[in-house]
Amino acid sequence: MNPPNDPSPPIDYEPRSESMIKKLGPVAWLGLIASTLPPLGSILLLAKIQAVSGWLRESGSTGLMTYIIGFWVLTGLAILPTYATAVLGGWAFGPIVGLSCAMIGFIGASAIAYFIGRRASGDRVNQLLRDKPRWGAIARALFGSGTGKTLLIVTILRLPPNSPFALTNLALSSLGVPFPIYLVGTFLGMLPRTAAVVYAASHMQQLTLEQAPDWRWFAAGIAITIGVLAILWFIARSALRRMTAESEA
């Protein structure tokens, strides 16, 4: 006996992760680049930092402009991480000039990354958030509740010393955070940690793998990271509770 025809539609066995990558399109590939290239770039830069910093320091204004433009391009394109470029600035130019140049570099790199992220994402991320109501509720709670709150969230996202600069740029630009808020929050959040890195680097006479880091910096970084995660968790939980209450009503 032949089995009866099954009128039900075929089951889609496409893995969720693969479907997510297709929905995100170029954003997924940019995320992969932002996750892998900066650590590799830092290894190369730190291995050559004495020679590079010496040339920058001896080249005067040419060295300053080379550092700033290189910061814009290499960090904006997620080739170098922020901590390595900040270390280079402090080592080459000292605490005051190094911090000034590094912050100018951060602003330019952030602007480049923002426009790349907006161009690549289009409406893909917003469409994904519409398909995932819980994710959409969290995104609106974080970045859709007024200028002041959005600026605060962007600032605290930038505060932790281990906050991934390139990935955060991509996330904020893809979510459509307004450009002025994005830049101001980036400046405010990056300033304290950059000042600490530049100051420490300006007092280094020699960088070796055997040098033990100051445990107080490590502990402060962990504390800041935990605090930021706690704030984001609280906001996300509150948003999901509101969404559940509204659906039940």
Side-chain angles (χ1 to χ4, degrees), residues 123-214:
D123 195 51
R124 290 182 177 88
V125 174
N126 289 330
Q127 181 59 51
L128 181 62
L129 295 178
R130 287 191 287 269
D131 295 338
K132 305 285 186 180
R134 293 169 65 88
W135 296 5
I138 295 173
R140 287 190 298 273
L142 291 173
F143 304 111
S145 301
T147 300
K149 184 176 181 180
T150 302
L151 177 60
L152 176 62
I153 295 299
V154 174
T155 301
I156 66 173
L157 283 174
R158 298 293 199 180
L159 278 176
N162 58 346
S163 175
F165 181 74
L167 281 176
T168 305
N169 291 337
L170 181 60
L172 295 176
S173 59
S174 299
L175 288 168
V177 172
F179 184 63
I181 297 175
Y182 166 88
L183 279 188
V184 174
T186 296
F187 180 85
L188 295 176
M190 298 295 296
L191 181 58
R193 74 189 231 193
T194 305
V197 171
V198 169
Y199 177 81
S202 68
H203 287 75
M204 288 180 182
Q205 299 299 321
Q206 185 178 5
L207 182 66
T208 64
L209 296 178
E210 289 79 13
Q211 288 176 321
D214 191 335

Side-chain angles (χ1 to χ4, degrees), residues 3-225:
N5 294 329
D6 185 1
S8 61
I11 300 175
D12 185 5
Y13 290 103
E14 183 180 26
R16 290 186 178 181
S17 59
E18 184 176 342
S19 177
M20 186 79 67
I21 292 174
K22 288 183 178 180
K23 289 181 179 180
L24 290 175
V27 177
W29 295 108
L30 287 176
L32 178 62
I33 292 172
S35 302
T36 56
L37 280 188
L40 298 177
S42 70
I43 295 174
L44 178 60
L45 177 59
L46 294 178
K48 301 293 183 179
I49 193 169
Q50 292 188 3
V52 174
S53 64
W55 183 87
L56 291 174
R57 184 169 48 251
E58 295 168 1
S59 299
S61 58
T62 300
L64 289 174
M65 290 305 301
T66 301
Y67 172 79
I68 292 173
I69 295 174
F71 200 134
W72 290 349
V73 175
L74 297 177
T75 309
L77 297 180
I79 298 174
L80 285 177
T82 55
Y83 65 83
T85 43
V87 166
L88 177 61
W91 199 323
F93 306 121
I96 305 301
V97 177
L99 177 60
S100 301
C101 291
M103 293 310 300
I104 294 173
F106 276 124
I107 295 302
S110 298
I112 292 173
Y114 182 91
F115 289 113
I116 291 175
R118 289 300 303 147
R119 181 74 175 178
S121 63
D123 195 51
R124 290 182 177 88
V125 174
N126 289 330
Q127 181 59 51
L128 181 62
L129 295 178
R130 287 191 287 269
D131 295 338
K132 305 285 186 180
R134 293 169 65 88
W135 296 5
I138 295 173
R140 287 190 298 273
L142 291 173
F143 304 111
S145 301
T147 300
K149 184 176 181 180
T150 302
L151 177 60
L152 176 62
I153 295 299
V154 174
T155 301
I156 66 173
L157 283 174
R158 298 293 199 180
L159 278 176
N162 58 346
S163 175
F165 181 74
L167 281 176
T168 305
N169 291 337
L170 181 60
L172 295 176
S173 59
S174 299
L175 288 168
V177 172
F179 184 63
I181 297 175
Y182 166 88
L183 279 188
V184 174
T186 296
F187 180 85
L188 295 176
M190 298 295 296
L191 181 58
R193 74 189 231 193
T194 305
V197 171
V198 169
Y199 177 81
S202 68
H203 287 75
M204 288 180 182
Q205 299 299 321
Q206 185 178 5
L207 182 66
T208 64
L209 296 178
E210 289 79 13
Q211 288 176 321
D214 191 335
W215 66 269
R216 291 172 295 182
W217 291 107
F218 181 76
I222 294 294
I224 293 172
T225 302

Side-chain angles (χ1 to χ4, degrees), residues 221-232:
I222 294 294
I224 293 172
T225 302
I226 293 174
V228 170
L229 291 176
I231 292 172
L232 298 179

